[in-house]
Amino acid sequence: MNTLEANLDAAEATNAQLRKHLNPRWYPTFHIAAPAGWINDPNGLSYFQGRYQVFFQHYPADSSWGTMHWGHVTSPDLVHFSRAPIALAPSIEEDRDGVFSGSAVTGPDGNLEVFYTGHRWRNGRNEDDGNIQVQCRATSQDGVHFSKHGTVVEAPEALAHFRDPKVFYHEGTWFMVFGTCSADNRGQVHLYHSADLKDWQFDQVIFQDPDPNVFMLECPDLFPLATPQGAQHWVLTYCPMGKKKTGYLYRNDHTAGYVVGDWAPGRAFTARTEFTMQDFGNEFYAPQSFATPDGRRVQFGWMGSFTVPAAPQLDGDGWFGQLTIPRELTLTENLRLDSAPIAEFTGLRAPGPAGDHAPFFQADSITVEPNHTVEIADDAGPCELELTLDRAQSTAVRAGVLVHHTAPGRGTYIACDEQSGRLVVDRRTTGGPDLGYRAAELSGGKLRLRIFIDRGSVEVFGHDEGGASTVLSSYSFPADGPRAITLLAESGTAVLRDVTAYSLDTIWSK
């Protein structure tokens, strides 16, 4: 048995012990999470040998961040998943303190090619004296068992941070982008190219965030998308470290967003938009995308935080962190990056009495009187809720839906706030430990909502008549007791149309 195999066996054994004490009260049913322990960034998203491959940053021994491994799940359809063994663990000098984030592609020989950041603390303990980060390569013939091939891109001495390689193929050449902190403390994305995935050459600094406060760009991803009229542009998603909190923007300690521009091999990237947040919720970070066999651009993000402890961690539940549901990305004519649940996700709706995907609640129209509520479920499990708020016919100052409603005054409130003109996810009464709210700007007269409610989270997709869409992804850890869903109107009436709720099955294959 080699060192990698031995370390993987040890990680699996440690994780098995942690699973014995896992508390499932907030553990997700239709979001990817580790069987126990910590999870952060999605990694290695790819389609290989007839199955979708989803890897993720994973610490198998505890619910807090630790020495990084790569967890692994696979799927035939991006809806139903099976767990695979932990794929990568520290086992060579380059990654002795962590197998950090990266990506995966199918190489010309048919093997799965993985690229990741090998991480070492200079002092062997922590960040105090800096780190050494290099880009490493590993390969697999079956997508499960990997062989490491060491460093393919060395770390320039002047760069304090140098990580998160994303590899893609374009016009006969392989390209790699990763995030850096420059010698003068500016956040940049560097581009390398290769003919064979083994030998890589520096190409250019393809992007530098114009904000001088931003010192590092984590988890960059560069991909083409076309507008509805067929104009192709390049989208650069990244996570700027150091962004200052401003009004409704950048309220999280970790922000993710994008710029849209134009690029071609041998040419500079020209940004045509400013940096725009992609998700306005409390928990969304480190998104990564890939192209499906039918040509769609699908993305996962991480729901979690490095800085704010969460209820499952504080209460010893044995796990923390989950990925978002898979989202299809599209580019609007005005160069806005929109995301929506993949179409296949409707297949997760639980069968009704007749065997079809019947909703457990449905109403063509509901009027909620001023300062009153209408309960549509007294104890809802994981579910999807769809509704349209007719803003033109409503007079409420705020109106929406209270989910994870466990007792009078307790729950997560998803509402349209007419005074601020924003869609709000307010968890000040959910139960903590992190309270507060997040809000995204709206336009237009009718607001269509799709809300995905898991045991400990909500993902809210909003689309208004003005053509704008927005997403807010947040944890929501309800108190003990039945979890109701309640419609609510404040200081006026609320007119809601096409209210439909579906129970959702687990994503995990039985």
Side-chain angles (χ1 to χ4, degrees), residues 153-497:
V153 179
E154 293 283 358
E157 188 63 31
L159 302 184
H161 302 281
F162 182 75
R163 58 181 174 269
D164 308 333
K166 178 63 190 299
V167 174
F168 63 95
Y169 188 73
H170 182 65
E171 294 184 356
T173 300
W174 295 99
F175 293 93
M176 176 192 294
V177 291
F178 41 80
T180 71
C181 173
S182 71
D184 57 352
N185 215 42
R186 296 295 297 271
Q188 297 178 337
V189 176
H190 288 203
L191 177 72
Y192 279 60
H193 64 261
S194 173
D196 60 4
L197 294 172
K198 299 175 184 178
D199 297 316
W200 292 87
Q201 292 80 44
F202 175 77
D203 192 299
Q204 60 176 300
V205 176
I206 196 170
F207 182 77
Q208 176 173 286
D209 193 293
D211 185 345
N213 296 306
V214 172
F215 64 89
M216 171 63 182
L217 306 185
E218 290 197 305
C219 304
D221 191 0
L222 183 65
F223 52 87
L225 277 181
T227 67
Q229 299 302 316
Q232 181 171 284
H233 301 280
W234 285 81
V235 179
L236 176 64
T237 63
Y238 64 92
C239 302
M241 300 178 70
K243 205 81 172 167
K244 299 295 185 182
K245 294 176 171 61
T246 306
Y248 290 102
L249 301 177
Y250 322 129
R251 301 311 307 181
N252 301 337
D253 291 333
H254 301 85
T255 294
Y258 65 93
V259 295
V260 179
D262 297 315
W263 173 76
R267 300 179 62 183
F269 177 84
T270 304
R272 299 186 58 171
T273 70
E274 296 182 345
F275 177 80
T276 304
M277 288 175 60
Q278 192 178 343
D279 188 303
F280 286 79
N282 299 73
E283 282 87 21
F284 180 82
Y285 197 65
Q288 185 176 119
S289 75
F290 72 110
T292 61
D294 60 5
R296 292 174 296 164
R297 177 62 54 171
V298 171
Q299 182 187 70
F300 288 86
W302 172 50
M303 294 182 66
S305 173
F306 292 110
T307 58
V308 181
Q313 295 171 296
L314 295 175
D315 292 355
D317 283 11
W319 72 278
F320 179 65
Q322 65 186 49
L323 303 188
T324 64
I325 63 174
R327 305 169 178 184
E328 181 180 357
L329 303 181
T330 54
L331 191 63
T332 68
E333 204 59 38
N334 63 351
L335 304 188
R336 180 188 177 103
L337 184 64
D338 280 355
S339 60
I342 60 170
E344 297 95 318
F345 220 71
T346 58
L348 205 61
R349 293 171 179 173
D356 57 357
H357 297 294
F360 68 79
F361 180 89
Q362 189 168 29
D364 293 335
S365 181
I366 298 175
T367 298
V368 185
E369 297 300 327
N371 307 310
H372 281 68
T373 61
V374 173
E375 186 177 87
I376 66 173
D378 59 2
D379 188 13
C383 63
E384 174 191 353
L385 175 64
E386 297 184 340
L387 58 89
T388 297
L389 175 63
D390 192 334
R391 299 173 67 189
Q393 298 299 314
S394 301
T395 61
V397 172
R398 284 202 309 176
V401 55
L402 192 64
V403 305
H404 288 160
H405 187 191
T406 56
R410 296 290 296 271
T412 294
Y413 189 22
I414 301 160
C416 177
D417 186 329
E418 292 295 350
Q419 294 185 101
S420 64
R422 293 180 178 270
L423 175 61
V424 175
V425 173
D426 186 343
R427 59 185 189 185
R428 285 176 287 180
T429 66
T430 309
D434 188 31
L435 305 178
Y437 71 97
R438 295 291 184 268
E441 189 173 4
L442 294 172
S443 61
K446 291 184 180 179
L447 173 64
R448 184 64 179 169
L449 295 177
R450 289 184 72 186
I451 304 170
F452 291 83
I453 308 164
D454 211 334
R455 288 175 178 164
S457 65
V458 294
E459 287 185 73
V460 181
F461 296 82
H463 192 89
D464 61 37
E465 280 188 326
S469 65
T470 192
V471 188
L472 298 98
S473 302
S474 295
Y475 275 115
S476 170
F477 300 119
D480 293 338
R483 303 174 180 184
I485 298 177
T486 306
L487 306 177
L488 174 61
E490 300 178 58
S491 298
T493 59
V495 178
L496 301 119
R497 308 194 189 279

